[in-house]
Amino acid sequence: MPTITLDAVAKNYGTSANAIDRLDLVIEDGDFMCLLGPSGCGKTTTIRMIAGLETVTAGALTIGDRVVDDPKRRVFIAPEDRDLGMVFQNYALWPHLTVADNIDYGLKLKKLGRPEREQRITEVLTSLGIEKYRDRYPAQLSGGQQQRVALARMLAVRPETMLLDEPLSNLDSRLRLEMRAELKRIHDETGSTIVFVTHDQWEAMTLATRVAVMYDGELQQVGTPLDIYDRPANRFVANFLGVPPINFFEFDPLGEDAAEAHAYLSRRVDSSRLGSLGIRPESLRVAPPSSATGVGDLVMRGVVESIMPTGGNWITDIRMGGRHVYATSSVAGDVRPGDEVTVSAHADSLHVFDREEQRIEAAAA
């Protein structure tokens, strides 16, 4: 499978600001790359430029050793000549064709003979568990079945790269889980390169080999799911990933609830650089004031407001100064609402950001 390279790619729709601004991204052979970010961040525009459905305004887009879009050199390769398969959010099935005929459509365009087309149709239908629906029309199928048909149509032509634009967003939670498992299986078995657009962090975390986080048309960070979660490059990435969301303590200006954290970090980082501190809920330990804490831990104090069971986990709401901080645990603690508590976190779990909201490396802390 070829490597996809976006070199300083920009996209402008005739406004003062670029929808995509100097995007540098390499999608390696065999990657399951998730483009992750909120609505309007540019992820769908990016995948449409890769597909050839949008043209590049500036920069160059290369697939393998072939430049497919470079306005400066006046190069543009049509979508049908890029050997890519794409599944849209709305599936885009032909309503007047049966399931088998929908899958056969792309095979006919590739001018394959009837016996090979039949073999591929049967293979993909069987693989996705929808062979019994081959003679039905899209309107006779559920959302999950239609999704499988859209995937089958793409897989049958055996594209070198698969492009998926939020294909699971119209499904209920159970079907989404089933289809995530199906996509993971397909990637593991075929080794295909997959580019997957989503705003759902759990889809990105569970599916991707690498994640590209985008915001406001700019790339924020690229890495494995655990890299991005454990070492967010900036405050936006830290805040976008995680449920419940990360707790922030503000140093600029210094909030009442952040005084203990500021004093702790000021002994380790130049205080003039400190903008905020992020601590994920699962990294906070909540205990009675008399409990021992680890050597070198950040230790703060608060009052328990409430404890919320979520079925397998507990969320503890702690009041610190004038704000609320949330901690999660897989076991029920020995504190109750109204208790004064010690809230501690290990130094390795702290996410420190400067006044420009960029990460301060742990070595500096």
Side-chain angles (χ1 to χ4, degrees):
M1 310 299 172
T3 296
I4 301 170
T5 304
L6 293 89
D7 183 8
V9 165
K11 178 64 181 178
N12 189 282
Y13 291 100
T15 61
S16 59
N18 288 336
I20 300 292
D21 192 27
R22 293 190 60 82
L23 175 60
D24 291 309
L25 180 64
V26 176
I27 301 168
E28 302 284 358
D29 174 18
D31 260 353
F32 196 131
M33 172 69 79
C34 278
L35 305 181
L36 174 66
S39 297
C41 72
K43 54 190 185 295
T44 291
T45 300
T46 299
I47 201 172
R48 287 176 65 85
M49 287 192 295
I50 295 172
L53 302 176
E54 298 278 1
T55 57
V56 169
T57 304
L61 200 160
T62 305
I63 299 178
D65 57 1
R66 183 173 63 153
V67 177
V68 297
D69 198 346
D70 185 342
K72 189 173 182 179
R73 288 188 275 180
R74 298 185 179 180
V75 174
F76 178 77
I77 305 299
E80 61 269 23
D81 296 323
R82 297 191 183 190
D83 199 17
L84 305 171
M86 188 160 185
V87 175
F88 299 91
Q89 183 176 347
N90 62 2
Y91 313 144
L93 300 175
W94 295 106
H96 63 290
L97 298 180
T98 65
V99 166
D101 289 339
N102 261 283
I103 298 170
D104 195 29
Y105 185 84
L107 300 176
K108 287 180 178 178
L109 292 178
K110 292 181 73 71
K111 296 182 170 55
L112 299 180
R114 183 68 187 177
E116 184 175 359
R117 299 201 322 262
E118 280 294 331
Q119 179 181 351
R120 290 199 188 186
I121 291 169
T122 300
E123 284 178 356
V124 295
L125 287 174
T126 302
S127 173
L128 294 173
I130 51 173
E131 205 280 332
K132 63 182 178 182
Y133 304 126
R134 64 180 299 140
D135 295 322
R136 293 191 187 182
Y137 291 89
Q140 298 172 309
L141 304 176
S142 68
Q145 291 161 356
Q146 290 184 41
Q147 176 64 75
R148 283 177 166 85
V149 175
L151 281 172
R153 181 178 59 185
M154 178 185 65
L155 291 170
V157 299
R158 298 175 184 173
E160 291 185 333
T161 301
M162 305 179 197
L163 309 178
L164 308 176
D165 186 9
E166 301 215 43
L168 311 184
S169 60
N170 294 331
L171 306 181
D172 62 38
S173 58
R174 184 177 183 84
L175 280 174
R176 284 169 74 100
L177 183 62
E178 290 178 0
M179 289 310 303
R180 286 176 196 167
E182 190 66 39
L183 286 171
K184 193 78 170 176
R185 182 188 66 80
I186 290 170
H187 180 256
D188 290 343
E189 289 185 357
T190 66
S192 299
T193 302
I194 297 178
V195 186
F196 187 100
V197 165
T198 183
H199 63 274
D200 186 322
Q201 59 175 295
W202 292 120
E203 282 185 353
M205 294 291 287
T206 56
L207 288 174
T209 57
R210 292 197 302 147
V211 179
V213 183
M214 300 182 67
Y215 177 64
D216 199 22
E218 296 184 355
L219 183 65
Q220 303 296 310
Q221 187 175 359
V222 182
T224 68
L226 289 181
D227 285 342
I228 288 175
Y229 189 82
D230 291 339
R231 297 191 62 78
N234 56 44
R235 179 165 169 154
F236 171 80
V237 175
N239 193 43
F240 192 75
L241 294 175
V243 178
I246 193 169
N247 299 291
F248 280 112
F249 299 85
E250 307 297 339
F251 303 141
D252 185 23
L254 181 60
E256 177 188 356
D257 60 295
E260 292 167 308
H262 186 268
Y264 174 88
L265 289 174
S266 293
R267 298 192 297 269
R268 295 161 172 80
V269 182
D270 179 357
S271 61
S272 66
R273 300 180 61 197
L274 293 174
S276 61
L277 168 67
I279 310 178
R280 297 206 179 276
E282 67 271 19
S283 297
L284 288 172
R285 299 185 298 276
V286 182
S290 58
S291 300
T293 57
V295 176
D297 284 0
L298 165 62
V299 180
M300 302 173 287
R301 289 163 181 78
V303 176
V304 175
E305 284 279 295
S306 63
I307 299 173
M308 298 168 280
T310 62
N313 287 288
W314 283 260
I315 301 175
T316 304
D317 176 5
I318 306 124
R319 187 176 71 253
M320 290 186 181
R323 61 157 295 178
H324 293 263
V325 172
Y326 297 94
T328 60
S329 175
S330 59
V331 296
D334 55 355
V335 299
R336 299 291 180 267
D339 287 356
E340 292 186 1
V341 291
T342 293
V343 183
S344 62
H346 193 274
D348 290 345
S349 68
L350 305 181
H351 304 283
V352 186
F353 304 98
D354 63 21
R355 297 190 177 195
E356 285 71 47
E357 300 190 351
Q358 301 302 303
R359 183 181 187 87
I360 298 175
E361 292 298 329

